[in-house]
Each structure stands twice: as C-alpha cells, then as structure tokens.
Amino acid sequence: MSGRTKLILALAVLALLAGAAVFLPIPGPAELRRWAQATGPATPLVLLVAYSVLTVAPIPRTVFNLAAGLLVGSVAGIVIGLVGTTIAAGLSFGLARLLGRDLVLRHLHRAPVRVVNDRLSGGGVLAITSLRLIPVVPFAPLSYLCGVSSVKLVPYLVGTALGSVPGTVAVVVLADALTGDTPPALLACYAVFAVAGAVGLVRVLKNRAPVPEAEQPAASAPAG
C-alpha cells in the first residue's frame, strides 16, 4: 500500500470515527435497562464487545463504565471496563500504527515531532500510566498518538491498564451518577488522579530532559 493510499485511508477512518463520536446517540439509564433485559444472560459479553469496539472512536469510556456498573454490578463492571479498555487501546494503537506510522516517520527530522516521539517512547510504562491517569487527556486520541509514535506495544498496554484502574473503579462504583449530576466524590477522585498523573509525567519529563552542552563532559584529548 502506497503512502498516499495510507494517508487517504487514514483520513477516511479518522472522519468515520469522529462522525461516530458525534452522531451516535448516547443511551440513558432507561434505554440501558431495556437493552439489558432484551439481551438477558448475554449482557456482559455484549457490553464487553460494545465497549471494546466503540471506544476505538472518540466516545468517552465513562459512558460504558457507568453502563457496566449500572447493568452488571461493581465487580463484573470493573472487569469488563478494564478488559474492554485494554482491547480498545490495542485496536486503536494497531489501527494508527498501520495507517499513520509511515507519515510520522517522514517527519521525525522535525524537532516538535521528534521531541513528542522521544518523550513517549522513552517514558515507558510510567509515561503511559501517568497520561492515562489524567482525566482531561482523551482516551482514543492518546491511543492514536501512541500508535504512530515509537512506543512499544507491551509497555503501552501495561501502562494503559494500570493508568485506567483508578478511574474505571471510581466510575463503575459510582454508576448512580447516570441518574443525575456527577457526584462530588467522583469529581474528587478525578482531581486526585489528575494530580498523580501530572506528578508521574513531570518525573518522566525530568528524567528525559537533555543534558545541556555546557554540562556534557568534554571529549578527552588524543594522546600525543
């Protein structure tokens, strides 16, 4: 597949995913309960498949975590949320790497592209975990970005799973938020996760900071 074809296909897929995020209706509690009654014992499996596939598009995971807690309870909901998150992260990563990696490679000589790539790939599990902890960092776009970067798949998936645990548990347990405004407890959890993620990210950036030329050891003079 040529680079031009990959670019066109990537743009088409991106437009399709963005359209799905905008136009797909988000069901409310009543619709979810009717859906669960219709699917019966298959509800957990159907929910897992929907979670894994639909969050590849920029549809917030919070919707599915709330649905999981509401429909199948806390324990099963947390398991579905974490497994679905990991599968969706892997699918998004693979899709972005397949369609967009060549385009990024052609621009690695540009300083901004190279810096972002180096920060992500060099930060390893801690960088991904920290980014996943910060609620304002959207799930799907970060997955795409990691896919086109030099991040390795295993650290990426491990970091995604670890960083998604606190938020998934909090939302599933507080699934009654579907019936009204977001509870203050959930907002407090988000604030704590954001601080933890920011601290981890700062640590990664400091560890990856380049050594100024003035501080680099001078090369030893050749023996005369």
Side-chain angles (χ1 to χ4, degrees):
M1 187 183 297
S2 67
R4 181 182 294 273
T5 303
K6 279 189 176 182
L7 178 58
I8 294 174
L9 185 57
L11 292 175
V13 170
L14 185 61
L16 180 64
L17 293 176
V22 172
F23 295 109
L24 282 179
I26 297 177
E31 289 84 0
L32 287 172
R33 291 192 181 94
R34 285 197 296 269
W35 170 74
Q37 291 171 356
T39 54
T43 296
L45 179 59
V46 174
L47 181 59
L48 175 61
V49 172
Y51 194 128
S52 303
V53 173
L54 294 179
T55 49
V56 173
I59 298 176
R61 288 190 318 118
T62 303
V63 173
F64 294 94
N65 287 331
L66 289 168
L70 182 68
L71 299 179
V72 300
S74 295
V75 176
I78 290 169
V79 172
I80 289 173
L82 292 177
V83 173
T85 292
T86 307
I87 293 174
L91 292 175
S92 303
F93 181 94
L95 183 65
R97 180 145 296 188
L98 176 65
L99 297 178
R101 178 66 179 146
D102 291 344
L103 179 63
V104 173
L105 287 176
R106 291 200 296 269
H107 294 277
L108 276 180
H109 64 282
R110 301 176 184 271
V113 177
R114 187 175 64 253
V115 167
V116 172
N117 181 73
D118 290 346
R119 298 294 188 189
L120 282 174
S121 60
V125 172
L126 179 59
I128 304 301
T129 302
S130 301
L131 287 168
R132 292 300 193 192
L133 280 170
I134 302 175
V136 296
V137 177
F139 177 80
L142 177 59
S143 299
Y144 307 150
L145 179 60
C146 290
V148 298
S149 74
S150 299
V151 173
K152 302 296 183 184
L153 178 61
V154 172
Y156 161 76
L157 290 178
V158 172
T160 294
L162 291 175
S164 301
V165 168
T168 300
V169 172
V171 175
V172 170
V173 171
L174 295 171
D176 58 348
L178 271 173
T179 60
D181 296 331
T182 303
L186 187 56
L187 294 177
C189 289
Y190 280 157
V192 172
F193 303 154
V195 171
V199 169
L201 194 58
V202 168
R203 181 177 176 182
V204 169
L205 295 177
K206 283 186 176 180
N207 290 340
R208 295 287 299 168
V211 179
E213 293 183 4
E215 298 179 9
Q216 294 179 355
S220 58

